[in-house]
Amino acid sequence: MASQPAAQAAPALPRSRQLEMYRRAAKRLPGGADSNFRTWGEDTIYIDRGAGGRVWDIDGNEYVDLRMGYGPVILGHGDQRVDDHVNDRMRRGVSFSLTGADEVQAIELLCELTGWVDMARLTVSGTEATMHAMRVARAYTGRNKIVKFEGQYHGVHDYALISVTPDDMSELGDADNPVRLAWGRGIPEAVAETMIPARYNDIGQLRRLFERQGDDIAAIIVEPVLGNAQGILPQAGFHEQMRALTREFGILLIFDEVKTGFRFARGGAAEYFGVTPDLATYAKAMGNGYPVAAFGGRREIMSVLPDKVSHGGTYAGNRVAAAAAVKTLSIIRDTDALARIHARGAAIQAGLREIVDRKGVPYIFTGHPSMFGIMFTDTAPTEYRDWAKSDHALYDEVAIGMHARGAMPEPDSREPWFICAAHDDADEARVLEAFADSLDAALEGRAHGLPGREAVGAQSHAAAG
């Protein structure tokens, strides 16, 4: 009987310039990068440029970009409409620590698109936005504690780094009484004790928690989808029940829309799911890659500013960020960009489905077509702990194999694929071809009992979350 043809070996991409850059960078930058999420050892990618839906590293390797900077680049790299507007505005000066018309217009657009935010303020990063939203919630309610869900990522301030992204689910503690698991050292215990971890999609556990500690809970902060686990969706009715429960106990509901905002719908996940929170945070897609963020909500709550709550920032509302938000949000409002993104994401999912169905590998799509994952499992995940039950080693091996074949998802099974308006038919074709060849290679290796060479290479990426 003739043997099956071996899967096509992944091409060896030139990396000499990047390896040289890594060794140079590692002397001055811890890990060779400006973020733990980008420190991939000798596999660290050093980027040269991006255009549309593609990026090129400094060795000249070209990739279809499925990371899009972890989601901000919603229109495409180097979108001329945004860049031209920003360039025009910044020629008049960048930072004044005074308020300009760009800032006012950006917030007006945010309020218009969401339809429920009455007042908001700009800041620079999603981390700052969630930090300030938590402070506002504590000030408004006079309570100290914040509930967050396991596996959800709300930035890198001390209050956010609780029960975020362990590999070993036992570290999260008992399912009915999760522990406060600090992500890394340097987080004071007193700070960690103000955060209460909960399990996503478990309304019963949430009610029991509120009944025990509700008098001291200021707010619950939630990514409307579990963005740090490939976009696990809420079960039917979960957000509605959570909304009702927070009102019953006088607890504020904060939607962290840093990833979902202006991506799921013009009004973000609040519009998509039909649930209105009390406060929300935005960043990423609102500036097409420029560093801009915002927090806002109901007028009554936001009115604790400026007299009763501290908020500031030399770069908050700087002209570059505000101008980028004005143009990006205007494009999202006035064009069919989101519809095209959603259609492209759905088409890529259809192609992936056809490929995996032929292999007989169990899988589940998670998230939304604009921000989705493919999880190798036969059981629909409902919370972060379910990620561990999936074949994430297979996913990681496929993802790193795709890099060598010209498409770049994050090589960690917790991060979704992000689609932008510039992704085109050629990008889609390359993504599907790279995925198919990588899956073939990974399954071929398993069939012959070979160690996951490509998966081993992905291990250094696993901290990216």
Side-chain angles (χ1 to χ4, degrees):
M1 181 176 179
S3 61
Q4 294 294 316
Q8 182 179 358
L13 298 181
R15 285 194 49 82
S16 60
R17 295 185 65 188
Q18 291 176 91
L19 184 57
E20 179 183 358
M21 183 63 74
Y22 169 72
R23 290 168 179 165
R24 172 184 166 190
K27 294 177 182 178
R28 302 296 183 186
L29 285 72
D34 280 316
S35 167
N36 287 5
F37 304 152
R38 307 172 205 160
T39 56
W40 300 348
E42 292 190 351
D43 294 325
T44 298
I45 291 176
Y46 293 89
I47 205 70
D48 176 49
R49 61 191 172 91
R54 301 199 178 196
V55 292
W56 289 260
D57 64 35
I58 62 174
D59 282 294
N61 300 308
E62 178 182 349
Y63 314 87
V64 177
D65 190 3
L66 296 170
R67 296 171 70 256
M68 306 311 297
Y70 291 124
V73 188
I74 193 166
L75 301 175
H77 294 289
D79 185 274
Q80 188 171 343
R81 298 163 295 179
V82 178
D83 291 352
D84 285 352
H85 182 70
V86 170
N87 289 337
D88 178 65
R89 296 299 295 162
M90 71 184 291
R91 290 190 184 101
R92 306 181 185 205
V94 173
S95 287
F96 305 98
S97 284
L98 296 166
T99 303
D102 303 272
E103 300 164 65
V104 177
Q105 188 178 359
I107 294 301
E108 288 173 341
L109 281 163
L110 185 154
C111 294
E112 177 187 348
L113 287 171
T114 61
W116 69 271
V117 173
D118 297 320
M119 305 183 81
R121 276 192 175 180
L122 292 177
T123 185
V124 180
S125 69
T127 287
E128 292 170 88
T130 61
M131 179 180 69
H132 291 308
M134 289 183 188
R135 183 182 300 156
V136 165
R138 288 180 166 118
Y140 178 78
T141 62
R143 301 172 180 178
N144 293 320
K145 295 185 177 179
I146 304 286
V147 175
K148 77 167 297 284
F149 291 104
E150 292 177 340
Q152 296 213 333
Y153 176 76
H154 303 293
V156 290
H157 56 87
D158 286 355
Y159 293 103
L161 293 177
I162 303 298
S163 302
V164 180
T165 182
D167 293 331
D168 182 354
M169 297 302 107
S170 68
E171 295 179 359
L172 293 170
D174 183 78
D176 290 326
N177 190 26
V179 300
R180 297 179 182 89
L181 179 65
W183 190 13
R185 300 179 184 180
I187 299 169
E189 185 176 350
V191 171
E193 287 178 352
T194 68
M195 302 302 295
I196 307 174
R199 296 175 62 194
Y200 188 67
N201 271 325
D202 190 337
I203 200 69
Q205 193 245 347
L206 202 58
R207 171 171 282 281
R208 293 190 296 273
L209 174 59
F210 284 7
E211 288 172 346
R212 290 195 309 269
Q213 302 187 57
D215 289 345
D216 199 26
I217 295 174
I220 182 165
I221 187 167
V222 58
E223 287 184 283
V225 304
L226 219 167
N228 215 46
Q230 291 194 332
I232 292 175
L233 290 164
Q235 292 184 302
F238 177 70
H239 284 333
E240 293 86 348
Q241 293 172 66
M242 181 168 55
R243 173 71 281 189
L245 198 60
T246 53
R247 286 182 174 141
E248 178 183 343
F249 285 85
I251 293 168
L252 298 186
L253 177 60
I254 305 172
F255 268 14
D256 179 359
E257 295 233 38
V258 166
K259 284 185 176 177
T260 57
F262 317 111
R263 177 172 282 278
F264 276 37
R266 288 185 174 92
E271 175 187 331
Y272 183 77
F273 292 114
V275 174
T276 303
D278 299 298
L279 291 166
T281 59
Y282 303 93
K284 295 191 185 283
M286 71 181 291
N288 197 47
Y290 287 91
V292 59
F295 64 100
R298 292 196 286 118
R299 183 177 303 275
E300 178 185 3
I301 299 169
M302 290 296 293
S303 291
V304 298
L305 295 163
D307 295 335
K308 299 177 181 178
V309 172
S310 175
H311 166 250
T314 299
Y315 300 108
N318 70 81
R319 178 158 281 168
V320 170
V326 166
K327 195 61 177 180
T328 302
L329 294 179
S330 295
I331 291 168
I332 289 172
R333 180 192 64 184
D334 298 336
T335 73
D336 66 346
L338 287 189
R340 290 187 286 112
I341 292 168
H342 299 172
R344 180 67 63 188
I348 292 174
Q349 285 181 320
L352 295 174
R353 183 179 293 110
E354 183 177 341
I355 292 165
V356 185
D357 281 347
R358 289 199 301 264
K359 298 297 179 183
V361 178
Y363 68 96
I364 298 286
F365 283 119
T366 51
H368 178 277
S370 69
M371 170 187 147
F372 69 88
I374 180 168
M375 200 173 282
F376 293 122
T377 179
D378 55 8
T379 304
T382 62
E383 61 167 341
Y384 180 71
R385 296 180 188 226
D386 290 338
W387 166 81
K389 302 172 187 175
S390 70
D391 192 347
H392 47 86
L394 175 61
Y395 177 92
D396 291 349
E397 186 167 357
V398 171
I400 195 66
M402 290 178 68
H403 286 203
R405 296 171 173 90
M408 189 192 293
E410 178 70 13
D412 182 337
S413 57
R414 285 167 284 211
E415 191 71 19
W417 293 14
F418 291 98
I419 308 302
C420 78
H423 280 134
D424 59 21
D425 291 347
D427 295 332
E428 179 182 330
R430 178 179 285 194
V431 166
L432 295 178
E433 181 179 4
F435 179 86
D437 289 347
S438 296
L439 181 61
D440 280 347
L443 295 177
E444 180 79 9
R446 285 192 172 190
H448 290 85
L450 299 176
R453 181 186 60 81
E454 293 175 341
V456 170
Q459 288 176 1
S460 61
H461 303 247

